[in-house]
Amino acid sequence: MSRVYNFSAGPAVLPEEVLREAADEMMDYKGTGMSVMEMSHRSKAYDTIIKEAEADLRELMNIPDNYKVLFLQGGASQQFAMIPMNLMKNKKAAYIVTGQWAKKAWKEGQIYGEALAVASSEDKTFSYIPDCSDLDIPEDADYVYICENNTIYGTKFKTLPNTKGHTLVADVSSCFLSEPVDVTKYGVIYGGVQKNIGPAGVVIVIIREDLITEDTLPGTPTMLKYKTHADAESLYNTPPAYGIYICGKVFKWLKKMGGLSVMKEKNEEKAKILYDFLDGSKLFQGTVVPEDRSLMNVPFVTGDKELDAKFVAEAKAAGFENLKGHRSVGGMRASIYNAMPKEGVEKLVEFMREFEKKNS
Ligand SMILES: *Cc1c(COP(=O)(O)O)cnc(C)c1O
């Protein structure tokens, strides 16, 4: 068996320990004589799996009792619609447009009501986070929407926007569980798990209870009402059962690692190795203003498309996979999520240093 260093933005690297455990339990999960994949989601064994997953997530993120944790399907993209359908009581919301995912959410919001872009960083290809300390947010806006970590462009909100008392909704797909968060500052925190937590097919929504109501937009399907899933404790219909089981294992792994403050330290340490190298390099440059740099997704370029392609190809041959930048941006991007070991980043930087020597 040989494993590569996988810098994919998502689906992405998972802890080897978790993969090994899942392999060990594949044929016979804890004496049940079956795989979790083959198990009824109404069984006692599965009930324990999903309850423990929720309890461990609550502990990791210190989620208050007045928030529900929902394990849903449809990816992060489905939330782009589910959020307005459930939250747009006044049919008005403020969006901060900091990248492709925020823009998609904003566009989707326009289907359901007045979705206003109250700030944007598109003028400089989303390479920074706009000043959100005093935005023009309408009084009757139902929520303020952000994409907290911009997976494609590699920026991150280091301070949350001043919502002027409005409900904050955040897509945290690519920074989920990478550092501690104060859940009380948000109305909704959600993310697809395939970036930093588990296999694609699960989206986790953490939502304040008062936002879960029957009063959704007319025509909202039963499956797209938060209330449906909150009332049924994520078991209204068959959930993405195996995916949730793997998420649960990752939560236990994170607890064993020491929790989210320890993860933050590790992530800062890893990111610093890469950013320090980029700052000192004459060949490679980071593309984001230093103060808004993401700890998770690090885009960089040489400034020469052919050289970029050569780098990606040679890196791949050397065991560094998925370093090609998003198709909309080009260049390179190293995603260095929780499960990427420090050694992977060190080796990548070593490789980049060698490449620079040979190509300048
Ligand atoms: C990947 C990603 C999405 C889209 O996720 P899907 O599960 O594929 O719908 C949305 N937002 C962010 C921030 C992402 O990184």
Side-chain angles (χ1 to χ4, degrees), residues 9-11 74-80 100-102 104 145 147-152 171-175 190-195 200-203 297 333 337:
S77 300
Q78 183 158 282
Q79 294 307 308
F80 299 169
Q100 296 249 5
W101 297 119
K104 281 192 173 167
Y145 182 100
C147 177
E148 193 161 330
N149 184 80
N150 296 281
T151 324
I152 295 172
D171 174 357
V172 299
S173 294
S174 51
C175 59
Y190 79 91
V193 305
Q194 73 272 26
K195 308 291 161 69
V202 182
V203 55
N297 310 98
R333 172 179 49 171
Y337 296 119

Side-chain angles (χ1 to χ4, degrees), residues 54 77 84 108 144 185 192-193 204-205 236 271 277 280 299 334 351 353:
E54 177 175 340
S77 300
E108 191 75 10
V144 175
K185 295 200 166 129
V193 305
I204 297 175
V205 177
Y236 170 73
F277 170 74
F351 179 82
R353 197 170 276 130

Side-chain angles (χ1 to χ4, degrees), residues 264-280 293-296 298 336 342 345-346 349 353:
K264 182 179 189 200
E265 276 169 37
K266 285 182 187 292
N267 288 329
E268 282 173 343
E269 203 186 336
K270 281 188 290 179
K272 186 172 183 330
I273 295 169
L274 192 44
Y275 285 124
D276 281 353
F277 170 74
L278 289 172
D279 288 344
R293 285 167 165 176
S294 165
L295 293 181
M296 298 280 98
V298 182
I336 49 176
K342 182 176 158 193
V345 181
E346 286 169 341
V349 164
R353 197 170 276 130

Side-chain angles (χ1 to χ4, degrees), residues 302-345:
T302 65
D304 172 342
K305 280 200 175 89
E306 271 169 38
L307 203 52
D308 286 352
K310 185 175 180 219
F311 174 79
V312 171
E314 288 184 14
K316 183 178 167 71
F320 304 100
E321 285 276 353
N322 293 313
L323 281 165
K324 197 168 185 293
H326 188 269
R327 59 191 188 282
S328 66
V329 204
M332 283 75 72
R333 172 179 49 171
S335 294
I336 49 176
Y337 296 119
N338 284 343
M340 173 57 66
K342 182 176 158 193
E343 190 199 28
V345 181

